[in-house]
């Protein structure tokens, strides 16, 4: 659009936008290099039940960049999603998480589930279900221990296409979790038609729980309805003991958040949960 306007284009193409685009291009080039050089790492955040027992980990990507240091996913995932890089990154994430999940099982955490974030571009690939099956076969991670997360807004926007894949994967025994629930204004009819297992109540609701009136009622009702529809409920971003006990009262099934643990690197997870077992860092480039 700027180009068509010829010599006036600088009126529209401001310096701010220019730096923005250059920044994005640099970042994108950096991400290509990161993938090639094995600069991504996964952190794992524990998810516990109401008795505070470990039931799952959520895999969360970080970029250990020689130029920028440890970069959080919020800073680069959107850029990876805009380009098609997310598809390749996602393959690496799934494989690495399943591999680590298998090692945890072998170290004695036999029933621990592994929850992996999957971007909508990955869900929309024709061969996504085959890719998942092949990673499970390759890593020997049991399919009934894998949870795939999809963000609520993304599912609503691509309902038909994604739902077919979800049904297919679910039939194979893989579990599906609706991430950031509450940010997408799903109608309740929608919710009842979704072939999912779990909803993850977004952190913004957990934050508001004890701060804003009505939120206790909203969260309580969501949990009750979810249960009636046969879904489990995970609360995200639990930071205080008060939030934790209130969510327990509201019959929330599982919790995740800094109050329980921050996301941790592989070796920290190993230290904490697989005491006595020797940890070796496998390279998964
Ligand atoms: P998400 O899937 O909703 O993940 C939860 C985010 O909340 C994580 O941020 C986690 O570190 C953070 N968190 C957990 N507990 C607390 C808490 O008590 N307080 C606060 N303040 N934050 C908490 P993170 O790791 O920066 O990830 C941000 C988002 O980036 C994720 O949101 C997810 O949408 C995306 N993401 C992360 N890893 C991947 C990945 O491997 N693939 C894809 N496609 N997306 C990913
Ligand atoms: Mg998630
Ligand atoms: Mg979330
Ligand atoms: Mg999120």
């Amino acid at each position: 659009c700027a180009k068509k306007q010829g010599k006036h284009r600088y009126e529209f193409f401001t310096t701010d936008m220019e730096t923005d685009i250059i920044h994005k291009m640099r970042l994108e080039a950096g991400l290509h290099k990161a993938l090639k050089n094995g600069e991504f790492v996964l952190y794992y955040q524990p998810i516990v039940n109401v008795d505070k027992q470990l039931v799952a980990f959520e895999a969360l990507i970080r970029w250990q960049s020689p130029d920028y240091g440890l970069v959080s996913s919020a800073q680069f995932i959107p850029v990876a999603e805009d380009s098609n890089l997310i598809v390749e990154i996602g393959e690496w994430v799934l494989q690495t998480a399943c591999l680590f999940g298998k090692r945890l099982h072998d170290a004695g955490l036999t029933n621990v589930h592994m929850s992996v974030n999957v971007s909508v571009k990955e869900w929309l690939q024709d061969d996504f279900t085959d890719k998942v099956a092949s990673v499970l076969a390759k890593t020997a991670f049991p399919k009934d221990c894998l949870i795939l997360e999809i963000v609520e807004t993304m599912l609503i926007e691509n309902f038909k296409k994604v739902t077919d894949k979800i049904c297919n994967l679910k039939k194979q025994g893989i579990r599906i979790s609706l991430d950031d629930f509450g940010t997408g204004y799903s109608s309740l009819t929608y919710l009842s038609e979704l072939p999912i297992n779990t909803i993850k109540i977004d952190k913004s609701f957990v934050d508001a729980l004890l701060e804003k009136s009505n939120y206790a009622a909203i969260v309580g009702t969501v949990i009750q309805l979810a249960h009636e529809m046969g879904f489990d409920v995970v609360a995200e971003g639990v930071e205080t003991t008060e939030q934790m006990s209130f969510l327990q009262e509201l019959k929330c099934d599982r919790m995740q958040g800094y109050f329980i643990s921050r996301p941790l690197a592989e070796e920290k997870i190993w230290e904490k949960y697989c005491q006595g077992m020797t940890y070796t860092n496998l390279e998964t480039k």
Side-chain angles (χ1 to χ4, degrees):
C1 147
K3 233 183 193 162
K4 273 189 201 147
Q5 283 156 1
K7 63 180 181 192
H8 298 300
R9 74 191 175 107
Y10 287 107
E11 284 175 36
F12 299 95
F13 203 64
T14 66
T15 318
D16 260 7
M17 280 165 76
E18 232 171 311
T19 32
D20 229 41
I21 291 168
I22 289 168
H23 172 74
K24 238 176 126 174
M25 282 168 64
R26 274 215 192 98
L27 200 57
E28 210 182 302
L31 291 173
H32 269 287
K33 199 176 99 218
L35 202 53
K36 205 176 73 201
N37 297 349
E39 292 165 11
F40 292 118
V41 281
L42 289 185
Y43 274 44
Y44 297 90
Q45 189 174 32
I47 301 175
V48 298
N49 65 16
V50 285
D51 301 320
K52 286 202 186 171
Q53 285 164 332
L54 175 75
V55 288
F57 290 108
E58 178 174 1
L60 294 158
I61 196 169
R62 304 286 179 263
W63 175 16
Q64 186 67 68
S65 160
D67 306 320
Y68 310 107
L70 193 65
V71 188
S72 84
S73 40
Q75 288 170 278
F76 69 86
I77 285 287
V79 176
E81 281 174 338
D82 278 349
S83 69
N84 270 322
L85 267 175
I86 193 65
V87 168
E88 260 182 273
I89 294 176
E91 281 167 21
W92 177 85
V93 169
L94 185 64
Q95 157 132 352
T96 307
C98 287
L99 212 55
F100 188 57
K102 170 72 171 126
R103 294 177 68 201
L104 293 173
H105 281 194
D106 291 347
L109 298 180
T110 40
N111 283 316
V112 83
H113 286 58
M114 186 58 80
S115 208
V116 177
N117 292 287
V118 179
S119 285
V120 68
K121 276 206 175 147
E122 298 175 69
W123 280 106
L124 290 172
Q125 298 168 89
D126 288 334
D127 58 349
F128 180 63
T129 19
D130 298 336
K131 280 185 179 171
V132 174
S134 109
V135 168
L136 286 168
K138 209 159 119 187
T139 57
F141 188 64
K143 56 188 171 192
D144 54 351
C145 289
L146 177 63
I147 306 168
L148 298 178
E149 298 193 8
I150 178 163
V151 170
E152 183 196 18
T153 41
M154 292 299 119
L155 176 55
I156 296 168
E157 283 169 24
N158 302 276
F159 194 74
K160 177 75 182 81
K161 276 190 178 159
V162 174
T163 308
D164 286 349
K165 296 217 176 65
I166 290 180
C167 284
N168 191 328
L169 285 164
K170 209 178 158 221
K171 257 187 235 145
Q172 298 175 44
I174 293 154
R175 306 174 67 84
I176 313 291
S177 198
L178 196 58
D179 202 359
D180 300 353
F181 182 80
T183 58
Y185 306 103
S186 304
S187 81
L188 294 170
T189 334
Y190 247 137
L191 197 57
S192 70
E193 284 168 14
L194 292 177
I196 55 166
N197 302 89
T198 306
I199 66 167
K200 296 187 83 170
I201 298 183
D202 191 66
K203 180 179 187 303
S204 54
F205 288 82
V206 175
D207 287 341
L209 199 57
L210 294 151
E211 304 296 327
K212 294 192 189 155
S213 57
N214 297 330
Y215 272 79
I218 295 170
V219 172
T221 308
V222 166
I223 293 172
Q224 211 180 328
L225 266 168
H227 285 161
E228 275 167 33
M229 291 171 184
F231 309 142
D232 307 317
V233 183
V234 179
E236 298 192 287
V238 180
E239 289 181 343
T240 67
T241 178
E242 290 81 12
Q243 288 170 343
M244 175 106 183
S245 6
F246 199 26
L247 285 158
Q248 280 166 334
E249 261 176 60
L250 295 175
K251 300 278 184 284
C252 184
D253 305 287
R254 293 196 279 278
M255 332 266 167
Q256 177 180 2
Y258 294 174
F259 176 65
I260 297 122
S261 166
R262 285 183 178 256
L264 302 170
E266 265 188 20
E267 53 274 28
K268 292 275 176 229
I269 293 286
W270 201 266
E271 248 172 62
K272 202 166 160 183
Y273 295 97
C274 311
Q275 286 131 349
M277 305 282 297
T278 315
Y279 174 83
T280 38
N281 186 5
L282 299 181
E283 285 297 323
T284 50
K285 280 185 194 174

